[in-house]
Amino acid sequence: MSTETGTAAGRDASRIHNIGYRSYDGRRLGRAYARRSLYSQTLRGSFGFGRSAKSKVLPMLLSGVMVLVAAILVAVSMATPNSTKLVIEYTSYAIFMQAVIGLFIAAQAPQAVSRDLRFKSVPLYFSRPIERADYVVAKFAATASALFILTGTPLLILYVGALLAKYDFADQTVWFGQGLVSVALLSVLFAGLGLVMAALTPRRGFGVAAVIALLTISYGAVSTIQAIAWTTDSLGAVQWLGLFSPITLIDGIQTAFLGATSAFPGEEGPGAGTGVVYLLVVLALVAGSYAVLMRRYRKVGL
């Protein structure tokens, strides 16, 4: 009797409650939407948008420096008597400001990838309709876009200032286009190398140090050795030494193909033949950076 009563009581206590869950019947946005969202979120984050006020200070300060220096150079050019062109070439501006660019990518590349690694949120991305290649491409493209905005905006200021000063329109337009090609190549190269260095460790500080060492310290070391080679009449070595620093690689390419004045000692930049080697090395570094990132996220995405 007690068993039957207990069974009846248990059956009476069993209820199916409708707690309000509904199946999703909206539009499935898919991989393309997820990729675009990740791209825009990373790009905005590179300049501190959508983050704390403290996170905005450094990227906005560095962006302000890039713009302010360009404005000052325009003012100096316009104040120079009988001036017919800017005091700096469009292709030389990024070389001149390479320390600021290096600090920007050193600070923002770890922000783009290190936090996801540190907090182990990468598997959460891959639980959605997004593939490993989507994640890498979105981060790569967003970081390169942020660098292009950083380096391209001051060139636009130089160009507008040159037109206001009534310098030759055709010449300025050609030189401005050459400068944009140069900084676009620089942005892709620096983004790839910066993200690789940052993705090697979830520790933001280590990532920052690694990027600075690769981009800034390597430039100082190569420039010093080039100067020594120049003073010892080892002129052939000057061009080949430029292959060992990202910024001198860009310098060599724009000297060989974009009519730029080289920052190498004695302004002896590579010719077209050597410039092909420079271009191949840059393309190999970009492709290699992508391959390394894909391999890195094959492991952390599990």
Side-chain angles (χ1 to χ4, degrees):
M1 180 65 69
S2 61
T3 302
E4 293 177 358
T5 302
T7 303
R11 187 163 47 244
D12 292 340
S14 300
R15 297 285 188 275
I16 298 177
H17 298 278
N18 181 3
I19 59 177
Y21 287 116
R22 297 172 55 189
S23 61
Y24 178 75
D25 55 2
R27 180 185 174 190
R28 302 284 180 177
L29 299 175
R31 289 175 58 187
Y33 177 80
R35 187 166 54 241
R36 288 195 304 270
S37 298
L38 187 58
Y39 168 84
S40 62
Q41 181 263 339
T42 305
L43 178 58
R44 293 174 67 249
S46 296
F47 293 97
F49 298 115
R51 301 166 60 197
S52 65
K54 180 180 178 181
S55 300
K56 295 179 176 66
V57 174
L58 184 59
M60 289 300 156
L61 177 62
L62 296 177
S63 299
V65 170
M66 293 288 290
V67 169
L68 179 61
V69 172
I72 291 173
L73 292 175
V74 168
V76 171
S77 300
M78 297 176 68
T80 302
N82 302 320
S83 174
T84 59
K85 62 180 182 179
L86 296 168
V87 296
I88 189 171
E89 296 179 355
Y90 294 95
T91 49
S92 299
Y93 192 79
I95 307 297
F96 179 65
M97 300 295 291
Q98 58 86 24
V100 177
I101 300 171
L103 286 176
F104 182 87
I105 186 62
Q108 301 312 314
Q111 181 274 330
V113 295
S114 295
R115 292 193 305 169
D116 290 345
L117 295 172
R118 182 177 179 182
F119 297 110
K120 296 180 173 56
S121 58
V122 176
L124 298 178
Y125 284 112
F126 295 161
S127 68
R128 299 295 180 182
I130 187 172
E131 300 293 336
R132 181 164 46 98
D134 298 325
Y135 181 89
V136 172
V137 168
K139 293 290 184 177
F140 203 140
T143 306
S145 298
L147 280 171
F148 185 72
I149 293 172
L150 179 77
T151 55
T153 301
L155 297 189
L156 180 60
I157 292 174
L158 292 175
Y159 179 63
V160 172
L163 296 184
L164 291 176
K166 298 183 179 180
Y167 296 153
D168 186 84
F169 174 80
D171 287 343
Q172 294 299 323
T173 301
V174 171
W175 296 337
F176 175 60
Q178 292 173 341
L180 288 181
V181 171
S182 174
V183 297
L185 190 60
L186 179 147
S187 298
V188 174
L189 177 61
F190 275 36
L193 296 177
L195 288 176
V196 166
M197 292 295 102
L200 294 178
T201 173
R203 303 297 295 273
R204 178 182 174 87
F206 291 160
V208 170
V211 175
I212 290 177
L214 178 63
L215 300 181
T216 304
I217 297 179
S218 66
Y219 174 71
V222 168
S223 298
T224 301
I225 299 174
Q226 282 181 321
I228 295 173
W230 174 260
T231 57
T232 57
D233 294 328
S234 301
L235 305 184
V238 172
Q239 297 184 11
W240 297 111
L241 286 168
L243 294 171
F244 297 96
S245 168
I247 195 69
T248 53
L249 278 170
I250 300 299
D251 187 8
I253 290 174
Q254 65 184 21
T255 301
F257 301 114
L258 299 177
T261 301
S262 177
F264 289 3
E267 298 182 355
E268 292 292 333
T274 310
V276 171
V277 178
Y278 274 64
L279 182 59
L280 290 175
V281 171
V282 169
L283 294 177
L285 286 173
V286 172
S289 298
Y290 176 78
V292 171
L293 289 171
M294 288 290 288
R295 183 176 180 83
R296 171 63 169 154
Y297 285 100
R298 181 182 301 162
K299 296 179 180 180
V300 299
L302 296 177

